[in-house]
Amino acid sequence: MAEIRESDLIAGVYVVQPVVHGDERGIFIETYRREWFPQGREMIQGNRGNRQAGAVVGLHYHLHQADYWYVPMGSCRVVLHDVREGSPTDGATETIDLGQRPDGTFDHRGVFIPPGVAHGFAALSDMVITYLVDGYYNPDDELGVAWDDPAIVADWGVDHPTLSTRDQANPARTDLVGALRPRWKMRT
């Protein structure tokens, strides 16, 4: 059975260490099970992103959608930041390296990200990320905060990041007001 633990830094974020089964043919891993997250909802869409080394994606957040991330190829640094007003961990930042480690071994952990927690990643090598979401794509629920905001203090692990135009235009954390600012315990 996989080991599931809640983050010590950000409430509602869970890190999953799955069981890896292997033999002379290769490996098999259950990367996700709905029952691992009793407070979560059914994941209804799966996505995949291929990124080149140095790419930075984020920081994005949703008011209504949770994500589950897994890196089957390459390596990345995940950056999480709690922007939920009223959260016991509001303002906390966490980084988690996923995928291939510097020594060549592989970290098969997955990360569950609840609504209101800003999330992004930096490709430390050419990589593939898969992610499940519990809501269909909704452009009105695609929000962001500046990846390089000094209030977030994130170490992305890359020297010269490549960012999308959208991610370069995300506002500072202090500019998230009104309907743009997620609230703690937004949904059950």
Side-chain angles (χ1 to χ4, degrees), residues 111-125:
V111 179
F112 177 85
I113 307 161
V117 173
H119 47 278
F121 64 89
L124 302 177
S125 70

Side-chain angles (χ1 to χ4, degrees), residues 4-7 12-16 36-37 68 110-114:
I4 297 98
R5 72 165 184 80
E6 187 171 12
S7 166
V13 168
Y14 288 87
V15 177
V16 174
W36 292 343
F37 311 104
Y68 183 77
V111 179
F112 177 85
I113 307 161

Side-chain angles (χ1 to χ4, degrees), residues 3-185:
E3 177 186 323
I4 297 98
R5 72 165 184 80
E6 187 171 12
S7 166
D8 295 333
L9 298 176
I10 302 178
V13 168
Y14 288 87
V15 177
V16 174
Q17 179 66 60
V19 175
V20 179
H21 305 276
D23 60 24
E24 62 278 357
R25 301 168 297 162
I27 62 170
F28 172 81
I29 304 163
E30 278 187 337
T31 58
Y32 175 83
R33 276 188 173 223
R34 167 66 183 85
E35 68 189 27
W36 292 343
F37 311 104
Q39 303 303 317
R41 300 186 306 189
E42 178 184 3
M43 296 298 187
I44 61 171
Q45 181 175 318
N47 303 304
R48 170 186 164 147
N50 292 25
R51 297 290 184 256
Q52 294 179 346
V56 168
V57 176
L59 289 166
H60 304 152
Y61 68 94
H62 312 282
L63 300 177
H64 306 288
Q65 175 182 295
D67 289 41
Y68 183 77
W69 289 5
Y70 178 74
V71 176
M73 192 169 158
S75 61
C76 80
R77 172 152 309 152
V78 173
V79 174
L80 305 171
H81 181 74
D82 192 348
V83 294
R84 299 168 295 179
E85 186 175 348
S87 165
T89 56
D90 183 7
T93 300
E94 181 169 8
T95 59
I96 303 168
D97 289 350
L98 297 178
Q100 189 170 11
R101 297 179 186 108
D103 68 3
T105 61
F106 211 85
D107 179 350
H108 289 284
R109 292 178 299 167
V111 179
F112 177 85
I113 307 161
V117 173
H119 47 278
F121 64 89
L124 302 177
S125 70
D126 291 352
M127 57 159 295
V128 173
I129 187 168
T130 62
Y131 55 105
L132 302 174
V133 294
D134 66 0
Y136 292 116
Y137 174 74
N138 175 358
D140 294 332
D141 196 33
E142 284 287 321
L143 304 165
V145 62
W147 73 280
D148 59 350
D149 188 328
I152 293 174
V153 191
D155 174 8
W156 291 87
V158 294
D159 293 327
H160 305 288
T162 304
L163 291 115
S164 70
T165 302
R166 172 189 163 204
D167 287 347
Q168 291 177 45
N170 284 336
R173 179 187 159 87
T174 56
D175 294 334
L176 302 179
V177 295
L180 296 180
R181 180 81 193 270
R183 309 289 187 277
W184 172 244
K185 295 290 185 181

